[in-house]
Amino acid sequence: MFDVVIVGGGMVGASLALKFSQHGLKVALLEKTKLPVLVADTPVDLRVSAINRRSEQWLSELGAWQAIPAKRLCPYLRLQAFEATHSKVNGAELTFTAEEINQPHLGHIIENNQIQAALWQQFPPQLSVFCPATVLSLQQTEDFSSLRTAEFGEIRGRLLIAADGGTSQLRTLAGIGCNGWQYQQGCLVATVETEYSQQDITWQQFTEQGPRAFLPLPGAMGSLVWYDSQPRVKQLAALSAADLTQQIQQFFPEKLGQVKVLQQGWFPLTRMHANRYSAGRVVLVGDAAHTINPLAGQGVNLGFADAKVLAELVLAAVAAGEDPANSALLASYEQQRKNANLLMMSAMDGFYQLFSSTSPLLRFARKTGLRMAANAGPIKAWVGAYAAGLK
Ligand SMILES: Cc1cc2nc3c(=O)[nH]c(=O)nc-3n(C[C@H](O)[C@H](O)[C@H](O)COP(=O)(O)OP(=O)(O)OC[C@H]3O[C@@H](n4cnc5c(N)ncnc54)[C@H](O)[C@@H]3O)c2cc1C
């Protein structure tokens, strides 16, 4: 019998597996996909994340931050939002800087697979990894939860953590419903070479068709995110690299400079929130509990915040000789994380509506709002610190 069984070895699940095994718990991690082997010059992955200061601290405590190759880390010191009055011309703008909040940087842009690999590299030998594993069914009793797998038979644990992403099989097997919607839009993601050498700014231009964002990558590279209607995004994603480059030069702001597309893909935008965070001995973390509009790059940062809170509660319970899945603990976890996640999801939606709207009233509100925010010293510093995960 394991103390903790984690389903899903993505960034969030792997961080919890590592944390618990570092504290002497008997841990099993089930992952359905075999991890790719990363070598020193593995090409840049399409999936990248803006990792805030709080997540950086969580990964550092685990010893994983230090294992991410320095040349794959791109710090950003400035975060900028501006509106487009025409496709090229900038309107009102707002810039947050690390200096304003007395920090060396606001965060880093890092490839998801580098973070995941750095976590897996730290796994101690006593951590039992079942990979690739196919979960067939879940059974819950008063004393344990049990998973039947195609490859490894039955795996039992006192606490079962679902970290298996937005379409979580475990959430469904545990009978936890969720609410949410598919946004009408999708987003194209493209890795590009840039005319400019490594940049320290991430920016978003808001247009009536949706935001266009630049995330800096190490060296003269960047990741572009282009929100638009799903048909348009699919059409862009199907273009050749040369044709997509031409479209980007036409529709992104001039400050991007010349770019060359290296790879591209598209993602639907989904908002999902689980109705509750646990059922019996199963508890949800990360995207299994919530998926958020990627607009402000907060998804995995919220997931790491879930992981940190859950780890603290479980480790304290185990140290006190209590059941790691006791109902008071699971209620406390939900109470600490559900509202915080909901607040961020709703803030992102409000922001998204405000900036995508063609209503003259909302257009006026956002122009005025951006100008006021740019001059609102302490409030602006507070929002900057919140975006960096320091509040
Ligand atoms: C375009 C885009 C841009 C984004 N940008 C950012 C950003 O800048 N910053 C940010 O914080 N977030 C960002 N996000 C969100 C971020 O990618 C997610 O929040 C994050 O990947 C969630 O991590 P996770 O570990 O919870 O889930 P996942 O990354 O989905 O990992 C789940 C893991 O579980 C495994 N799994 C799934 N089902 C099973 C099963 N049945 N059995 C066993 N294993 C299973 C999967 O193989 C995977 O390894 C972005 C998302 C998108 C779509």
Side-chain angles (χ1 to χ4, degrees):
M1 167 99 80
F2 291 95
D3 296 316
V4 182
V5 175
I6 299 167
V7 178
M11 295 182 278
V12 176
S15 76
L16 271 173
L18 182 55
K19 179 77 180 175
F20 288 134
S21 50
Q22 285 174 343
H23 283 78
L25 269 60
K26 207 171 160 219
V27 181
L29 176 71
L30 280 69
E31 166 56 51
K32 74 171 177 189
T33 314
K34 221 165 171 244
L35 246 60
V37 178
L38 301 183
V39 288
D41 46 5
T42 296
V44 172
D45 190 35
L46 185 65
R47 297 293 308 269
V48 303
S49 293
I51 297 299
N52 68 25
R53 298 300 310 276
R54 188 175 48 185
S55 299
E56 175 181 337
Q57 201 184 340
W58 169 243
L59 292 169
S60 297
E61 282 164 22
L62 293 167
W65 184 264
Q66 301 80 332
I68 302 172
K71 63 178 187 182
R72 311 300 286 228
L73 296 171
C74 184
Y76 59 94
L77 281 60
R78 294 173 294 149
L79 198 157
Q80 189 174 66
F82 54 94
E83 54 158 21
T85 43
H86 307 292
S87 61
K88 287 275 178 191
V89 185
N90 303 345
E93 71 170 48
L94 180 60
T95 308
F96 298 100
T97 66
E99 204 182 355
E100 282 165 343
I101 54 167
N102 298 317
Q103 294 293 323
H105 52 262
L106 294 170
H108 284 83
I109 310 296
I110 314 173
E111 296 147 75
N112 292 4
N113 63 8
Q114 291 286 342
I115 299 173
Q116 189 187 20
L119 286 161
W120 278 60
Q121 278 163 25
Q122 309 313 308
F123 286 173
Q126 66 272 21
L127 197 167
S128 304
V129 177
F130 299 94
C131 175
T134 313
V135 173
L136 299 174
S137 64
L138 163 74
Q139 204 192 350
Q140 300 224 54
T141 72
E142 206 163 296
D143 300 323
F144 60 87
S145 280
S146 157
L147 289 172
R148 200 160 58 82
T149 67
E151 301 82 357
F152 305 101
E154 189 192 5
I155 298 169
R156 286 182 179 183
R158 297 173 73 205
L159 175 67
L160 209 160
I161 300 177
D164 51 347
T167 55
S168 172
Q169 179 194 11
L170 254 286
R171 186 180 67 225
T172 308
L173 288 175
I176 301 177
C178 51
N179 61 72
W181 56 80
Q182 284 265 338
Y183 296 91
Q184 295 304 308
Q185 294 206 311
C187 67
L188 173 97
V189 177
T191 310
V192 296
E193 269 174 19
T194 56
E195 172 191 352
Y196 304 122
S197 52
Q198 183 169 331
Q199 297 176 58
D200 68 358
I201 185 166
T202 175
W203 49 255
Q204 304 225 4
Q205 182 196 46
F206 290 92
T207 77
E208 283 161 7
Q209 292 75 41
R212 284 161 208 166
F214 169 78
L215 288 77
L217 289 173
M221 292 185 75
S223 174
L224 304 182
V225 192
W226 184 341
Y227 296 74
D228 212 311
S229 68
Q230 282 209 11
R232 170 75 168 138
V233 163
K234 282 186 196 169
Q235 181 227 338
L236 289 168
L239 292 176
S240 68
D243 287 346
L244 180 59
T245 299
Q246 190 268 325
Q247 288 284 304
I248 287 169
Q249 300 297 175
Q250 188 179 345
F251 289 101
F252 267 64
E254 259 155 27
K255 71 186 293 178
L256 177 65
Q258 295 297 310
V259 296
K260 182 178 164 207
V261 171
L262 300 179
Q263 56 177 330
Q264 68 219 45
W266 80 276
F267 300 88
L269 300 182
T270 312
R271 171 174 167 153
M272 181 285 296
H273 204 182
N275 296 336
R276 53 201 170 111
Y277 280 17
S278 68
R281 292 179 168 274
V282 176
V283 62
L284 313 180
V285 290
D287 273 24
H290 43 76
T291 57
I292 176 173
N293 190 323
L295 184 66
Q298 289 298 334
V300 78
N301 291 306
L302 295 180
F304 284 143
D306 295 347
K308 188 170 179 348
V309 169
L310 184 64
E312 281 166 5
L313 290 167
V314 169
L315 291 172
V318 170
E322 293 167 9
D323 182 349
N326 74 72
S327 54
L329 180 163
L330 296 176
S332 170
Y333 165 66
E334 175 162 334
Q335 192 244 327
Q336 290 186 56
R337 292 305 306 151
K338 201 172 178 194
N339 284 342
N341 290 331
L342 187 61
L343 179 68
M344 182 61 86
M345 292 164 100
S346 306
M348 283 314 105
D349 279 344
F351 212 57
Y352 187 73
Q353 292 304 334
L354 179 66
F355 279 94
S356 312
S357 174
T358 52
S359 140
L361 193 66
L362 284 183
R363 236 189 258 160
F364 174 75
R366 75 179 170 231
K367 241 191 201 110
T368 317
L370 277 178
R371 289 214 178 97
M372 278 168 62
N375 295 315
I379 301 174
K380 186 178 168 228
W382 192 93
V383 176
Y386 185 63
L390 298 168
K391 292 279 177 200

